[in-house]
Amino acid sequence: DDIRKALQAMDLMKLLEAQGNPSNSKALGEHKFWKTQPVPQTEGSEYKEGPIDEPKTPADVRQEPLALPAGFVWSTMDVKNEEQMLEVHTLLTENYVEDDDAMFRFRYTKEFLLWALTPPGYEEEWHIGVRVQKTGKLVGFISGIKIEIRAREKTFDSAEINFLCVHKKLRSKRLAPVLIKEVTRRVNLTNIWQAIYTAGVVIPTPFATCRYYHRNLNPPKLVDIGFSPLPRGQTIARLVRQYAVGTATSTPGFREMVADDVPQVATLLRRYLARFPIMQTFSKDEDVMHWFISGLGREENGKRVEQVVWAYVVEDPTTHEITDMVSFYCLPSTIMQHPKHDVLNAAYMYYYASDVVFSAGGSGEDSDQHKVKVEERLNALIRDLMVMAQTNGFDVLNALTLMDNNMFLNQQQFGPGDGYLVCIVTNPDEPANHDYLHYLYNWSTAPIDGGLNTTAKR
Ligand code: MYA
């Protein structure tokens, strides 16, 4: 009832959206909101590498929160507080990203959210909720964390925006632009003027377009739930054989990453990622500690903390140097309306790095011989990662068409998805319904061809 009453006040939203954007009142075309924002407006326009807005200082920024329509209030969320985390978790579990056919919905764990929202230097003020004033019910959320980005030659502090969510009953009321403007304001107040984010929707203007690929690790279940088709003439038993990955890893020295590996892994990762045009820098070792070690499962105060990240290294058996690292994170999806299964245990490829790319190969780095060597090492690493994912009970390993992934996706039998979330398509030549798009706010940079070689992201 309260939501319904508050809804009546929501016609105000249209007025509010013009707040601070005088030009908005004239903007009647497509992307009413996005055309007012400092983002590249058209693809193919000239890209002068750098900020789009004129330089500003925090003193130029509106000091009070944006106005919400009557009946709603802002609420900064303390995700380290169990009750507040539960509220964010419930909102996302019931209302976050779904596929077009409403078969699957992301079901981030509380441990995942804590990991994703509290890296070193995170700002509580950037975890922003909207509540119904009367009942206190959380109905909207957006989050930012601080990360350092390098885009081509330039390195800058940035926000990474994620988990934008509006309760299903409040959709299409222009609440999202208010959340986006409020997070922008709070980020700007800390003298940060750029942001990076990904989305399944097309807005002005992506710098990279990726597609999700899926490696089947549990054929009977994936067929059963309609995630992947059973091709005519094919049997489950044959699929099981086709996708078997074994139970033992094969790279000598392959083992779980531990805290002591952080300095070496950090150096290797930075060097590897420096080859890509746009990346998160991981310039501090504590970033590597957070993103790869803090997410390991453990007992805390007698309670089990679920694992979020699975990270592995290859330690050279003779020199004891770390030559490779590879990782995935766990992001289950709710399977909606299935009699037998209610969760899809999905692993998502995360960062990896290998010193093989720096090894001399034949007559030069780009020689065919060198490429073969790189491909062989990466494929071996991913095979071992699949063994670990399957052994740990994951049904599928997902990967995007970024970094060096094109070197192993086909060989390791990843199939192209029909969306940014789910489903192995029957016809791989069919265009995807959704791509997974990468965006920068207030930063112009030439788009990256085919999405390859961008940074990975949670
Ligand atoms: S991506 C995940 C987004 N979440 C979901 O998909 C969950 C399920 N969906 C929902 O909860 C709602 O549909 C959402 C939109 C909340 C997404 N990114 O309020 P509206 C634009 C950017 O009437 P609703 C993630 O978390 C849309 O084009 N803009 O719509 C990264 C339109 O503008 P325009 C989006 O459906 C988020 C306007 O909103 C998105 O009720 C990065 C319509 O508003 C989207 N995913 O709510 C955010 N979806 O008319 C940007 C819709 O112009 C951060 N819209 O086309 C920018 C940087 C900010 C910090 C800067 C610091 C310097």
Side-chain angles (χ1 to χ4, degrees):
D1 265 7
D2 284 308
I3 290 186
R4 213 174 303 131
K5 272 187 219 139
L7 265 173
Q8 289 162 3
M10 287 199 73
D11 274 344
L12 260 181
M13 294 309 303
K14 287 177 190 123
L15 287 175
L16 290 167
E17 202 188 323
Q19 223 167 22
N21 274 323
S23 61
N24 207 29
S25 50
K26 282 184 260 153
L28 292 167
E30 273 185 322
H31 298 302
K32 206 159 146 281
F33 169 65
W34 280 107
K35 75 198 303 185
T36 67
Q37 298 300 300
V39 291
Q41 291 297 330
T42 44
E43 225 167 324
S45 48
E46 286 242 329
Y47 292 95
K48 206 173 79 202
E49 300 282 319
I52 294 166
D53 263 346
E54 291 303 311
K56 284 188 231 155
T57 69
D60 302 324
V61 176
R62 179 191 166 113
Q63 300 294 307
E64 341 52 68
L66 277 105
L68 280 167
F72 295 96
V73 287
W74 293 113
S75 177
T76 297
M77 303 302 290
D78 174 4
V79 294
K80 289 198 169 166
N81 172 297
E82 259 182 57
E83 261 173 50
Q84 296 185 38
M85 168 57 89
L86 183 63
E87 290 181 280
V88 173
H89 182 256
T90 306
L91 175 73
L92 296 178
T93 304
E94 292 170 359
N95 301 279
Y96 203 50
V97 180
E98 290 174 14
D99 67 305
D100 283 348
D101 302 328
M103 285 167 73
F104 306 98
R105 189 190 308 126
F106 278 149
R107 180 145 116 190
Y108 286 91
T109 61
K110 281 182 248 170
E111 285 85 354
F112 189 114
L113 294 173
L114 193 63
W115 170 77
L117 293 173
T118 60
Y122 81 95
E123 300 269 351
E124 194 178 308
E125 287 288 312
W126 297 8
H127 301 157
I128 309 172
V130 170
R131 294 182 186 277
V132 175
Q133 190 164 25
K134 242 194 182 155
T135 58
K137 186 180 166 71
L138 187 71
V139 290
F141 187 69
I142 193 165
S143 74
I145 52 167
K146 264 189 210 168
I147 64 166
E148 193 181 62
I149 300 279
R150 180 180 60 73
R152 272 103 192 184
E153 255 76 272
K154 297 183 183 159
T155 300
F156 48 89
D157 281 334
S158 163
E160 177 186 307
I161 306 297
N162 207 347
F163 306 116
L164 166 61
C165 185
V166 165
H167 193 284
K168 287 185 172 198
K169 293 208 165 124
L170 296 176
R171 295 278 167 85
S172 304
K173 310 277 177 207
R174 314 299 295 183
L175 197 51
V178 184
L179 279 160
I180 294 169
K181 282 200 255 182
E182 180 59 11
V183 78
T184 304
R185 191 187 71 82
R186 296 192 192 190
V187 170
N188 287 167
L189 282 174
T190 68
N191 203 22
I192 291 178
W193 307 91
Q194 271 70 43
I196 191 162
Y197 46 102
T198 56
V201 293
V202 183
I203 45 179
T205 299
F207 70 79
T209 301
C210 298
R211 192 165 182 189
Y212 260 120
Y213 274 63
H214 310 279
R215 175 53 160 85
N216 195 338
L217 298 172
N218 186 353
K221 179 167 168 186
L222 292 199
V223 169
D224 201 9
I225 64 178
F227 187 96
S228 47
L230 184 64
R232 206 176 302 155
Q234 184 62 282
T235 65
I236 296 281
R238 249 189 272 151
L239 278 189
V240 169
R241 271 200 303 279
Q242 182 189 333
Y243 288 116
V245 296
T247 51
T249 59
S250 55
T251 310
F254 187 95
R255 61 162 172 82
E256 259 178 39
M257 178 178 167
V258 294
D260 281 350
D261 298 323
V262 165
Q264 273 203 70
V265 166
T267 308
L268 176 67
L269 189 62
R270 281 177 209 131
R271 206 171 158 214
Y272 192 83
L273 293 179
R275 299 158 54 246
F276 301 115
I278 299 178
M279 55 172 281
Q280 175 176 356
T281 59
F282 291 102
S283 62
K284 297 196 186 97
D285 283 7
E286 58 175 351
D287 296 333
V288 175
M289 184 66 95
H290 178 81
W291 292 118
F292 299 99
I293 298 295
S294 79
L296 296 178
R298 59 194 180 273
E299 293 289 321
E300 223 170 63
N301 306 328
K303 266 202 243 158
R304 173 85 198 143
V305 179
E306 291 302 331
Q307 186 156 355
V308 178
V309 181
W310 278 252
Y312 300 90
V313 293
V314 178
E315 178 183 329
D316 186 304
T318 38
T319 64
H320 297 292
E321 274 185 22
I322 307 278
T323 55
D324 312 78
M325 72 85 64
V326 61
S327 58
F328 63 79
Y329 59 74
C330 157
L331 166 47
S333 278
T334 300
I335 306 169
M336 285 130 88
Q337 300 164 346
H338 193 275
K340 206 162 97 198
H341 301 286
D342 60 354
V343 179
L344 175 69
N345 293 316
Y348 287 70
M349 281 218 52
Y350 195 35
Y351 286 91
Y352 56 89
S354 172
D355 72 0
V356 68
V357 294
F358 310 115
S359 64
S363 53
E365 275 232 343
D366 287 329
S367 70
D368 287 349
Q369 225 178 320
H370 184 253
K371 263 192 214 131
V372 170
K373 227 161 108 179
V374 172
E375 252 179 52
E376 271 173 11
R377 181 91 75 88
L378 291 186
N379 275 281
L381 272 179
I382 306 313
R383 270 198 304 275
D384 285 346
L385 192 71
M386 294 191 312
V387 170
M388 298 319 300
Q390 198 182 52
T391 320
N392 281 286
F394 288 94
D395 301 318
V396 63
L397 177 64
N398 297 336
L400 284 163
T401 50
L402 46 63
M403 291 175 71
D404 287 316
N405 294 3
N406 59 332
M407 293 203 192
F408 59 76
L409 290 175
N410 285 338
Q411 210 168 318
Q412 296 310 321
Q413 303 189 70
F414 283 75
D418 78 343
Y420 57 106
L421 245 194
V422 286
C423 207
I424 297 170
V425 289
T426 7
N427 176 5
D429 298 325
E430 242 169 55
N433 291 337
H434 293 284
D435 290 313
Y436 190 75
L437 303 143
H438 289 63
Y439 298 94
L440 280 164
Y441 185 90
N442 193 24
W443 194 270
S444 153
T445 193
I448 296 171
D449 204 16
L452 286 171
N453 304 342
T454 49
T455 182
K457 196 190 144 278
R458 294 150 291 280

